[in-house]
C-alpha cells in the first residue's frame, strides 16, 4: 500500500524499493526480485531498486556483486547504488589496517563494484551511485576506514579507483 499511496500523492515521483547486503546473498537477491514481482502484480508502482552496499575489501565476493547486478538489471527497473562504502577488515588497533596493501585491496573493491555496475546494468537502467559519506572519521563505520578520503581529507587510493572506473565506464 505504501507504493500505491506514494503514487497517488505524486504520480510523477520515481518510487524505489531499497535493501542492504543484496551482494552478500543470492537467496536475498532472489527474494527481493520475487518480492518486487509480487508487489507489481498487486498493482504497486515501483520504478527502481536501491542497493545499500556496505562491503568489505577482503570478504565481499566479486561473484556476489555480479550476480546481484545481473538479477536487479533483469527486472527492467532502474538500479541505484543508494549507499556504498568499503571497509578494510581488521581492528582499529591493527597496524596493517591502513597500510598500502590494505588500501590497495579497498581501491580494487571499489573499482570492481563500479565496473560491475556499468557492465551488468544497461545504461537506460542506471540511476546512479552514492558513496555513503565523505571522509573516514565521519563514517558510521569509521574504525574500518571505509571511504574515499582519510581523516585529513587526503584522497585515498580508492578515490582514484572510483574516478578511473567512472571515467572509463562504457569505453
Amino acid at each position: 500500500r505504501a507504493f500505491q499511496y506514494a503514487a497517488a500523492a505524486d504520480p510523477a515521483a520515481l518510487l524505489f524499493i531499497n535493501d542492504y547486503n543484496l551482494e552478500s546473498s543470492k537467496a536475498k537477491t532472489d527474494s527481493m526480485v520475487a518480492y518486487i514481482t509480487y508487489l507489481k502484480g498487486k498493482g504497486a508502482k515501483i520504478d527502481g531498486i536501491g542497493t545499500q552496499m556496505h562491503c568489505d575489501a577482503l570478504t565481499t565476493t566479486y561473484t556476489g556483486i555480479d550476480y546481484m547486478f545481473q538479477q536487479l538489471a533483469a527486472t527492467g527497473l532502474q538500479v541505484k547504488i543508494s549507499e556504498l562504502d568499503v571497509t578494510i577488515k581488521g581492528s582499529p588497533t591493527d597496524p596493517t589496517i591502513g597500510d598500502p596493501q590494505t588500501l590497495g585491496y579497498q581501491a580494487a573493491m571499489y573499482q570492481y563494484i563500479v565496473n560491475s555496475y556499468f557492465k551488468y546494468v544497461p545504461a537506460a537502467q542506471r540511476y546512479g551511485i552514492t558513496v555513503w559519506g565523505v571522509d573516514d572519521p565521519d563514517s558510521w563505520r569509521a574504525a574500518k576506514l571505509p571511504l574515499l578520503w582519510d581523516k585529513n581529507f587526503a584522497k585515498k587510493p580508492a578515490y582514484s579507483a572510483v574516478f578511473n572506473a567512472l571515467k572509463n565506464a562504457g569505453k
Side-chain angles (χ1 to χ4, degrees):
R1 293 191 188 266
F3 286 101
Q4 292 168 337
Y5 296 150
D10 184 354
L14 292 178
L15 303 180
F16 279 70
I17 190 166
N18 194 57
D19 206 351
Y20 66 96
N21 288 346
L22 295 174
E23 74 284 347
S24 297
S25 168
K26 287 183 178 182
K28 189 168 185 177
T29 299
D30 293 344
S31 294
M32 174 60 95
V33 170
Y35 186 52
I36 291 166
T37 302
Y38 169 79
L39 290 173
K40 288 183 76 69
K42 295 287 186 180
K45 176 187 183 269
I46 301 174
D47 300 297
I49 308 165
T51 178
Q52 300 172 26
M53 298 183 71
H54 303 296
C55 301
D56 181 79
L58 301 176
T59 60
T60 301
T61 67
Y62 290 172
T63 56
I65 293 165
D66 291 344
Y67 182 81
M68 176 197 66
F69 284 133
Q70 290 168 0
Q71 297 309 305
L72 298 185
T75 67
L77 299 174
Q78 298 286 303
V79 177
K80 177 174 178 57
I81 301 176
S82 56
E83 300 178 17
L84 175 60
D85 56 51
V86 177
T87 59
I88 302 171
K89 196 118 179 129
S91 152
T93 58
D94 179 349
T96 66
I97 193 169
D99 71 2
Q101 184 175 10
T102 58
L103 291 173
Y105 294 147
Q106 180 184 51
M109 180 59 75
Y110 265 111
Q111 184 171 357
Y112 192 87
I113 291 166
V114 173
N115 287 340
S116 181
Y117 179 77
F118 280 93
K119 180 177 181 179
Y120 293 113
V121 179
Q125 288 177 255
R126 295 182 202 137
Y127 198 75
I129 300 170
T130 300
V131 176
W132 200 237
V134 178
D135 65 321
D136 288 331
D138 292 325
S139 170
W140 67 291
R141 302 172 88 190
K144 295 188 177 191
L145 311 177
L147 299 173
L148 305 180
W149 283 270
D150 69 14
K151 65 183 177 184
N152 300 313
F153 287 99
K155 295 173 186 170
K156 292 166 45 182
Y159 173 91
S160 296
V162 171
F163 178 84
N164 288 328
L166 291 171
K167 185 171 87 173
N168 295 319
K171 290 185 180 179

